[in-house]
Amino acid sequence: MNHIQFAQEIYNRFGTIKRCRGCFLYTKKGVRLTDMNQENGRAVLGWDAGNAFTFFKNALNRGVTGSFITEDVSRTDKAVSELLASERKVFYFSKKADALKAGLFFSPEGTSVWKPWGPAEIKWADIPCVIIAPPLPWTDSLYILAVKADVLHSVDSTAAAKIFASSIIIPFPLQAAVTRAFYNMIAALQQREEKDWFIYDTILTKYWERKGPYLYPKIPEEKYDSFVLHCMDCGVVINPDYHSPSIVPFGADKGVFTKLKNSPFEF
């Protein structure tokens, strides 16, 4: 099921989404949905990414809405450097393929896609080029390439300029929100842990294999669309893409899965 069909199915059942907060969606028909899709992971910190959109609104009020170089360029570098525990230079791309191409130019054997709460054995500080989807909703067409400073300086500047021709400058309010989202993610990485995820296992592991906060379906692929709709009818919104994980709803009461527990999906 694609995301357009997914959104339409939510609308057909519950009307428009009127408000989003934390891991919940509040609908026009007064139904609260537990969100385990979380904008395919970009809303893993909640629909305000902590308080990131407050920073967006504050920056917007300053009127600097063009694609200018602002003070937040260096602030984002610092935030991402702290996230990856290594000095980084950040570049923005509107397509993941362009970010990947640039990363492979600098380090064909050392370019990886970052994922929070991923395998503990990955040492992000040692990886020369890291592609990051900002943990911020409304940025599905934004990707970041974080290049280690020493790697960047070792490459011919003329060749590098050609590679970065497809990079973009994003408006200051969005820069401010992305930067704050990264700092909020750094805090969340220290706060959220296994004890916050396994408490739902008695219900969720019937349908998913859990790795950290990520849920990989046990449902056969040919039945997955039906399972998505079944969960929706039980007030639970999961990732409509079979090949992308759903996410454990941080902070939700176990009671949000009562309908799913009482109305099991047979597969």
Side-chain angles (χ1 to χ4, degrees), residues 24-218:
F24 297 109
L25 310 177
Y26 297 83
T27 71
K28 186 175 183 178
K29 292 186 178 181
V31 177
R32 187 185 72 172
L33 302 174
T34 302
D35 179 20
M36 294 168 59
N37 176 36
Q38 299 178 13
E39 204 75 345
N40 202 23
R42 296 206 187 219
V44 70
L45 298 179
W47 284 91
D48 187 31
N51 58 350
F53 281 122
T54 299
F55 283 74
F56 179 91
K57 289 183 284 188
N58 291 342
L60 191 65
N61 287 338
R62 294 169 60 180
V64 187
T65 56
S67 298
F68 310 115
I69 295 176
T70 68
E71 60 187 14
D72 259 58
V73 172
S74 60
R75 290 189 66 242
T76 309
D77 288 348
K78 291 178 181 178
V80 174
S81 295
E82 184 175 340
L83 178 72
L84 300 178
S86 51
E87 186 179 354
R88 300 281 171 162
K89 177 63 179 174
V90 164
F91 300 91
Y92 296 100
F93 294 85
S94 58
K95 296 180 181 179
K96 187 177 182 179
D98 290 340
L100 179 61
K101 180 180 179 181
L104 293 174
F105 168 79
F106 285 103
S107 183
E109 304 299 327
T111 297
S112 297
V113 178
W114 181 82
K115 190 173 187 178
W117 300 287
E121 62 270 18
I122 298 179
K123 305 300 181 185
W124 293 105
D126 297 334
I127 299 175
C129 296
V130 180
I131 297 168
I132 307 173
L136 182 72
W138 188 47
T139 58
D140 58 318
S141 60
L142 182 63
Y143 293 88
I144 284 176
L145 175 65
V147 184
K148 290 188 75 170
D150 56 343
V151 172
L152 185 64
H153 296 152
S154 68
V155 177
D156 177 74
S157 59
T158 301
K162 291 180 180 179
I163 289 296
F164 286 124
S166 59
S167 65
I168 60 175
I169 298 175
I170 63 174
F172 173 59
L174 187 53
Q175 290 179 34
V178 166
T179 301
R180 175 46 49 182
F182 277 124
Y183 281 119
N184 291 343
M185 174 55 77
I186 291 167
L189 288 170
Q190 304 304 314
Q191 296 166 356
R192 303 184 189 185
E193 52 190 15
E194 179 66 14
K195 66 179 178 61
D196 299 306
W197 303 317
F198 83 85
I199 57 175
Y200 311 99
D201 280 359
T202 53
I203 300 170
L204 298 184
T205 54
K206 176 180 179 180
Y207 305 109
W208 289 277
E209 177 184 359
R210 183 177 62 80
K211 297 180 180 179
Y214 302 108
L215 300 167
Y216 297 87
K218 295 179 179 178

